């Protein structure tokens, strides 16, 4: 009998990060980093792991959204599912009733991401490869077949995508060797959370430089005078040679963003991230025209490839920050990487949270080896929280992500981390309640 | 002791409409019209009713999303909540953790819509007015204070909004009288579902004209030859004087939309609705430029005011189709009506489903009395399904919505309809399972 997808389990896992203000920014004062943690099981006893990241309350809704998708793919032959993960992804995002909750956005789309990434994880484990290498060794035709061009064609045709991949093919082996040798550049957001004191900001900024990072990121947007002080302090500590990105987490309107950035310009911020509503393509374009040479970056809340297409068509961004679990996982991210390559915009993935670093590095590395073919001006976000809960945590050396060697996408949590942080009954939450009470 | 919001209940209500193919279109072949049905209760024993509409599977996720929002407002003094429904709405959409599931989109945003509309219903009941009249009798300053201008200012300032409302103020009483006298024009989608036979299409089209409708709508986008046949048939039946809108429900890419519409042009379609992805502002603009004089309409999946702002800024639409429960309810729809008035684009609300006609008529009527001041080229969608389940169903006469007189927003279901259609245990679902089995 053919091996089938026999079950998909979703668990509500939350980490009480709000107790230390890790992750605090202008729009997220007290996040509890969380995941709808997904395990795909096959009738042959294999497993694949994925997750959708959230910041606390609502993670139960995210789990409910995953569970609503489960019946669409349970029972599918594993060979059918894994040999065409494009069709598998469309089955999850295209259900005629469930898509009403999106379409292609919000909790139901992130639920698809968790399952799609778990399926990619399963496939990579069966082929005994990390996902970046699985992708980087696929024939261009197979990669292009994964892309749903329906809403993208006027910006990127199948032939153009194929041409991009074919152009990169001759150098794949050499770049794979380079990647294994020297990794992929990272930047760190660890020093810059809004909830941190100036002393902590200064100490962590200095430490980041000492650790080999050439870019750090500060959160801004809650208080202008405070932003000036913090940015001045950080610039003094790291010196002129280190890039400092700033991140407003959607705090401003279009005109306000332009005004707010004027007095910050003297500290030479490298990019302004999420200056306004993530939905505002035309607003980002207006801000970009006004604040150059400060670059405009966005993407962690950009909900699908159609939105990224427009950000690129409208010349609205200098930096594309894709996320591993906001859009529908690896499959949709392949389309986004191809769009970015077509438009010549560097991809600097969003990470942090829980498991986002572990997953998203695969996409950046695939991009280097087989799509854009370069690491120039590309960096993956890095935050040094919660990696200890993963079976295959990221490895950072001298400010660079080392290429993961373990098979899969990296989202697998230690079973004891899952049970300890299960919400609301895990031991960590019983202890957190005791602290608060 | 001050009266407080003591409880908010959300119930999973579904109607087995897929058994008759009512509501079938290119993307929704078999919908089961459903609602996350919300009741707000006060400690004083009063109630308000709202709902978020879905098309079946996933309605449980929608209910979970409502329940996730409930703790944000339960316990609030009723007077505080109802006297500033702008702040009340922002409390629901701005929660720092829950907004990750959007932001301002998808299930969590529709959940806010259901609660916000229930709060408007409660306020209207307390003031013994239908919502349209409650809004149409508010001072312009109070209306403008409800709007969150953060992401809208460069397209619409508070002063411009105030000016629009003040300009309409002198004529309010006369237009209210006109409205009570002659109602508001409707168009009907009843003849046009894809699942209907040509005979049923022809009979229902003829009936629509006989009933006084001057516009009907047909679903298109699944099969071009079929669309030509159906559109020719409908045009023959209704004659040249009746407007025929067509609706592709997102079936096409941008280039494909333009191609597909070419052979349909000879049947003089009035507007093409949802020609492509609802997220594709620039795509709608490109289609509009190519297919004129066919008008481009969209909005039922446009997830917030920022997206509508861009559709208007980019000259992407001729017709703005707001929806009562896709964006965050009456409050956000006030902003959208003001944006439409600023840009001079007529609003023709999306309705149908379950309860959408009952709710959205209030917005169109408020627009006529106090915002745009005109019914010219404005029509509210009408579908004659499921109205019998409502305590205050719409009243249609000679192809027009009669202004509702009962207090509230119209979303209150008969208690027996709720219990009969509760999913999965209501009697209607036990009977539907028996039919399928």
């Amino acid at each position: 009998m053919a091996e089938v997808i026999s079950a998909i389990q979703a668990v509500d896992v939350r980490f009480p990060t709000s107790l230390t203000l890790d992750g605090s920014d202008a729009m997220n004062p007290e996040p509890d980093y969380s995941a709808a943690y997904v395990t795909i099981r096959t009738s042959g006893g294999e497993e694949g792991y994925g997750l959708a990241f959230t910041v606390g309350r609502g993670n139960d809704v995210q789990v409910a959204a995953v569970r609503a998708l489960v019946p669409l793919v349970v029972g599918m032959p594993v060979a059918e599912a894994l040999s065409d993960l494009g069709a598998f992804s469309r089955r999850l995002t295209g259900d005629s009733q469930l898509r009403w909750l999106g379409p292609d956005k919000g909790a139901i789309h992130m639920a698809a991401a968790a399952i799609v990434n778990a399926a990619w994880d399963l496939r990579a484990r069966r082929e005994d490869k990390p996902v970046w290498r699985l992708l980087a060794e696929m024939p261009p035709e197979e990669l292009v077949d994964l892309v749903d061009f329906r809403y993208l064609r006027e910006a990127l045709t199948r032939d153009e995508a194929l041409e991009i991949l074919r152009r990169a093919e001759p150098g794949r082996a050499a770049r794979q060797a380079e990647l294994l040798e020297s990794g992929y550049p990272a930047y760190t957001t660890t020093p810059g959370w809004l909830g941190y004191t100036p002393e902590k900001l200064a100490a962590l900024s200095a430490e980041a430089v000492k650790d080999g990072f050439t870019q750090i990121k500060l959160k801004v947007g809650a208080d202008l005078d405070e932003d000036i002080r913090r940015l001045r302090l950080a610039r003094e500590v790291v010196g002129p040679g280190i890039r400092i990105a700033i991140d407003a987490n959607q705090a401003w309107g279009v005109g306000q963003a332009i005004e707010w950035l004027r007095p910050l310009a003297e500290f030479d911020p490298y990019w302004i991230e999420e200056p306004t509503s993530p939905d505002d393509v035309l607003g980002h374009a207006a801000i970009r025209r006004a604040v150059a040479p400060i670059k405009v970056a966005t993407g962690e809340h950009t909900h699908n490839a159609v939105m990224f297409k427009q950000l690129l068509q409208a010349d609205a961004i200098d930096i594309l920050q894709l996320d591993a679990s906001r859009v529908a996982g690896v499959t949709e991210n392949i389309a986004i990487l191809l769009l970015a390559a077509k438009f010549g915009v560097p991809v600097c993935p969003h990470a942090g949270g829980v498991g986002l670093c572990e997953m998203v590095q695969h996409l950046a590395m695939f991009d280097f080896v087989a799509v854009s073919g370069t690491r120039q001006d590309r960096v993956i976000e890095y935050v040094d929280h919660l990696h200890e809960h993963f079976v295959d945590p990221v490895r950072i050396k001298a400010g660079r992500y080392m290429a993961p060697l373990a098979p899969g996408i990296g989202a697998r949590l230690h079973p004891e981390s899952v049970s300890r942080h299960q919400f609301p009954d895990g031991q960590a939450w019983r202890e957190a309640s005791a602290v608060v009470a």
Side-chain angles (χ1 to χ4, degrees), chain A:
Chain A
M1 217 170 75
E3 185 182 12
V4 297
I5 296 175
S6 53
I8 298 179
Q9 184 194 41
V11 182
D12 186 341
V13 177
R14 307 191 195 189
F15 299 88
T17 45
S18 61
L19 297 178
T20 53
L21 295 186
D22 298 338
S24 54
D25 65 46
M27 298 294 260
N28 304 288
E30 295 180 320
D32 286 319
Y33 283 168
S34 304
Y37 180 61
V38 168
T39 306
I40 288 189
R41 297 203 168 83
T42 76
S43 56
E46 297 186 0
E47 295 187 338
Y49 309 91
L51 62 82
F53 169 64
T54 80
V55 295
R57 285 185 293 280
N59 201 49
D60 50 336
V61 179
Q62 191 54 62
V63 167
V66 172
R67 289 182 183 152
L69 293 177
V70 165
L72 301 176
V73 289
V74 161
M76 269 187 95
V78 174
E80 182 193 335
L82 300 187
S83 67
D84 187 354
L85 284 165
F88 180 85
S89 302
R90 285 193 294 279
R91 188 188 279 228
L92 290 168
T93 58
D95 179 73
S96 69
Q97 295 188 357
L98 287 160
R99 73 185 295 282
W100 189 269
L101 301 187
D104 298 327
K105 60 181 66 70
I108 201 74
H109 206 51
M110 297 196 282
I115 297 176
V116 166
N117 284 344
W120 277 99
D121 184 70
L122 176 64
R123 175 163 168 185
R125 288 174 187 278
R126 287 161 73 100
E127 299 190 23
D128 198 30
K129 293 177 183 177
V131 161
W132 69 265
R133 194 155 74 79
L134 169 65
L135 293 170
E137 291 174 1
M138 271 187 187
E141 288 73 13
E142 190 182 348
L143 285 165
V144 164
D145 284 344
L146 291 163
V147 175
D148 182 354
F149 286 97
R150 181 192 330 208
Y151 294 138
L152 307 180
R153 272 188 204 98
E154 81 283 10
L156 177 75
T157 65
R158 188 178 191 284
D159 284 349
E160 289 170 332
L162 207 49
E163 168 60 24
I164 289 166
L165 294 167
R166 285 198 178 132
R167 208 164 50 219
E169 222 178 353
R172 281 183 177 190
R175 285 191 298 273
Q176 186 162 322
E178 273 183 74
L179 180 69
L180 289 166
E181 172 69 23
S182 59
Y184 199 104
Y187 75 92
T188 175
T189 309
T190 299
W193 302 109
L194 275 192
Y196 287 179
T197 62
E199 293 71 28
K200 192 165 180 179
L201 166 65
L204 290 172
S205 297
E207 196 180 313
V209 176
K210 200 171 130 258
D211 287 347
F213 290 97
T214 56
Q215 180 176 326
I216 64 172
K217 189 166 80 185
L218 306 191
K219 299 293 181 172
V220 296
D223 179 289
L224 178 57
D225 292 333
E226 194 62 23
D227 288 349
I228 292 173
R229 269 194 294 277
R230 295 169 69 252
L231 200 47
R232 174 176 286 131
L233 175 62
R235 179 55 77 200
E236 280 168 11
V237 169
V238 303
I242 299 292
R243 286 177 176 170
I244 305 179
I246 56 176
D247 182 355
N249 292 87
Q250 315 164 27
W252 304 318
V254 173
Q256 192 186 10
I258 294 166
E259 289 306 309
W260 197 293
L261 288 166
R262 210 160 280 155
L264 301 185
E266 71 166 289
F267 308 108
D268 190 23
Y270 182 61
W271 78 51
I272 174 63
E273 178 170 331
E274 289 204 311
T276 190
S277 163
D279 295 330
D280 200 347
V281 172
L282 302 178
H284 279 83
I287 294 167
R288 179 167 180 260
R289 285 192 299 272
V291 306
I294 303 174
K295 295 179 190 298
V296 170
T298 200
E300 72 182 87
H301 287 87
T302 304
H303 52 269
N304 60 39
V306 172
M307 294 301 288
F308 279 114
K309 176 187 75 168
Q310 292 177 88
L311 286 166
L312 294 166
Q313 289 174 313
D315 292 324
I317 52 171
D318 298 283
I319 308 282
L320 189 153
Q321 302 180 297
L322 60 75
D323 179 277
S325 72
R326 174 69 63 183
V327 305
V330 169
T331 317
E332 190 168 7
N333 270 320
I334 293 170
I336 293 165
L337 289 170
L338 287 163
L339 281 165
K342 161 84 186 289
F343 284 83
V345 168
V347 173
C348 299
H350 170 248
V354 54
L356 299 182
C357 300
E358 276 71 16
M359 291 190 288
V360 90
Q361 61 180 336
H362 292 273
L363 295 162
M365 292 174 186
F366 159 59
D367 178 68
F368 169 50
V369 176
V371 188
S372 75
T374 176
R375 290 173 292 190
Q376 182 69 40
D377 289 330
R378 271 102 172 144
V379 274
I380 307 171
E381 184 166 21
Y382 175 66
V383 188
D384 64 355
H385 298 150
L386 306 175
H387 301 291
E388 66 276 19
H389 299 293
F390 288 87
V391 174
D392 300 305
V394 292
R395 296 175 304 136
I396 302 290
K397 283 191 190 156
R400 298 172 83 87
Y401 278 82
M402 295 296 103
L405 305 174
I409 200 169
R412 185 179 189 182
L413 286 162
H414 289 295
E416 50 275 30
S417 289
V418 175
S419 60
R420 187 171 155 72
H421 294 91
Q422 206 162 334
F423 187 85
D425 297 324
Q427 183 62 24
W429 287 100
R430 291 203 297 273
E431 290 166 14
S433 310
V435 169
V436 173

